[in-house]
Amino acid sequence: MTNERRLPRVLIARRLFPEVADRLRAHFEVDASDAPDPFAPAELAARLKDCAGVLVTGTERIDAELLATCPQLRAVCSMAVGYNNIDVPACTAAGVLASNAPGVLTETTADFGFALMMATARRVTESEHFLRAGLWKTWSYDMFAGTDVHGATLGILGMGRIGQAIARRGALGFGMKVVYHNRSRLPEADEAAVGARYASLAELLREADHLVIVVPYSASSHHLIGAAELAQMKPTATLTNIARGGVVDDAALAEALRARRIAAAGLDVFEGEPQVHPGLLTVPNVVLTPHIASASLPTRRAMADLAATNLIAALTGGTPPTALNPEALRL
Ligand code: GLV
């Protein structure tokens, strides 16, 4: 029998950088998942039973039901910026600190949003499939002719950090006119920095040549873009979604693409992902990627490190830098 005190136990819910697990091992007893797939809810609950903290991604659902089964839990730290998988009020009520990972992925995600918009406007994957299928026989004036990005009107729905980073790319790099819609209007100086003009959602839909969606998912943004909104867009317009599945009604979008109500779409996120609406898999005018907007190795490492920093601070009496409910620590 030794009277050595046991370190608090934490779970890393997904296979992750070994260096991040090592960092946590300096403070905690670490249970690190090495499975490629997420835990099923019952297994997550079982693994969390005697844990004081957990490092999660954007996929683990943390709700009141789960929290009720792990009374020792004090911190849920996510390496994602979007936190619609975490019921923050339920965490606060249970005295559990919740954190996300804003800031560190802004530029990488904006790069990807811009790349997806460009690939969509210039039909990059559609033409690659044609080439790979051995169908390229000659030059033709309208072969995969798309729409211009430079000088066009960039419409941004959701003007947070990532939206503003996309606006900078468009305005400063590609001479685009920027219009945006957001819950609240930006300070004038921030608008002026990228020449962005605030618009109503209806104006945004009407004016955008390229609409990029970066708005967080919540009950109020569910199906914010559906058939009625798609019908207001220009038939030559593109739509790019790097926000969350569910902001766009994927069935309505698949139909709008099939009917050429809009020219094309670029999608990194899907309702019910990793399932993809079958209608989106059969239309040619869509670029599809598997939720990888933040996926550069340095950025994924920075996201995991920020989650670990929050977890260490929350469980060792420090101040988690990106807490969503700092009041939970005082309960
Ligand atoms: C990715 O989607 C994130 O929210 O970080």
Side-chain angles (χ1 to χ4, degrees):
M1 190 73 176
T2 121
N3 48 13
E4 210 181 293
R5 268 190 51 218
R6 268 189 66 191
L7 294 172
R9 189 173 167 80
V10 300
L11 174 69
I12 303 178
R14 298 297 297 272
R15 193 175 65 81
L16 216 55
F17 299 91
E19 312 87 275
V20 174
D22 289 343
R23 217 185 126 204
L24 291 174
R25 276 192 194 97
H27 303 269
F28 311 117
E29 187 185 313
V30 175
D31 176 10
S33 169
D34 58 3
D37 295 325
F39 292 130
E43 190 176 3
L44 180 63
R47 301 283 281 249
L48 280 178
K49 259 213 153 47
D50 56 353
C51 283
V54 60
L55 194 163
V56 297
T57 66
T59 38
E60 288 71 36
R61 173 147 294 286
I62 308 291
D63 54 18
E65 196 185 331
L66 175 81
L67 293 169
T69 66
C70 21
Q72 309 208 30
L73 201 62
R74 289 286 156 265
V76 172
C77 299
S78 174
M79 61 180 278
V81 65
Y83 53 90
N84 52 298
N85 57 318
I86 301 175
D87 183 338
V88 179
C91 285
T92 309
V96 173
L97 183 286
S99 65
N100 68 337
V104 286
L105 46 58
T106 301
E107 298 301 328
T108 297
T109 304
D111 282 352
F112 189 86
F114 215 85
L116 193 53
M117 176 188 69
M118 292 196 74
T120 302
R122 297 301 307 274
R123 305 174 66 179
V124 171
T125 55
E126 190 185 350
S127 60
E128 184 184 347
H129 290 147
F130 170 87
L131 179 153
R132 284 179 187 269
L135 298 171
W136 185 22
K137 302 293 181 227
T138 184
W139 181 93
S140 157
Y141 80 96
D142 59 352
M143 186 168 75
F144 294 107
T147 45
D148 277 325
V149 170
H150 72 273
T153 297
L154 171 60
I156 301 186
L157 181 53
M159 199 63 153
R161 293 181 187 80
I162 299 169
Q164 290 177 54
I166 292 171
R168 278 198 303 279
R169 283 159 177 74
L172 309 178
F174 287 76
M176 300 179 87
K177 291 180 273 303
V178 179
V179 278
Y180 76 97
H181 181 71
N182 199 45
R183 249 183 332 191
S184 45
R185 196 172 162 170
L186 295 186
E188 257 173 52
D190 293 348
E191 285 186 350
V194 289
R197 183 167 57 78
Y198 183 79
S200 67
L201 178 58
E203 285 167 340
L204 183 77
L205 295 168
R206 219 169 34 237
E207 291 178 24
D209 293 313
H210 303 292
L211 177 68
V212 181
I213 302 172
V214 213
V215 75
Y217 180 77
S218 66
S220 60
S221 63
H222 180 74
H223 285 189
L224 189 56
I225 303 297
E229 289 71 28
L230 292 163
Q232 296 170 54
M233 293 176 67
K234 298 178 186 178
T236 50
T238 72
L239 174 155
T240 297
N241 185 8
I242 57 165
R244 275 290 182 275
V247 174
V248 176
D249 176 344
D250 284 351
L253 177 60
E255 175 51 25
L257 291 167
R258 192 201 58 75
R260 305 270 169 181
R261 259 307 294 120
I262 64 169
L267 305 174
D268 187 48
V269 289
F270 305 88
E271 288 192 273
E273 63 187 51
Q275 306 304 320
V276 175
H277 189 285
L280 292 171
L281 295 171
T282 50
V283 288
N285 46 343
V286 63
V287 181
L288 305 168
T289 53
H291 204 147
I292 56 167
S294 67
S296 75
L297 271 179
T299 290
R300 284 281 164 88
R301 174 66 202 266
M303 293 160 71
D305 263 328
L306 180 52
T309 299
N310 277 300
L311 195 50
I312 294 165
L315 297 180
T316 61
T319 304
T322 56
L324 293 162
N325 59 349
E327 67 276 20
L329 284 182
R330 295 190 288 274
L331 295 176

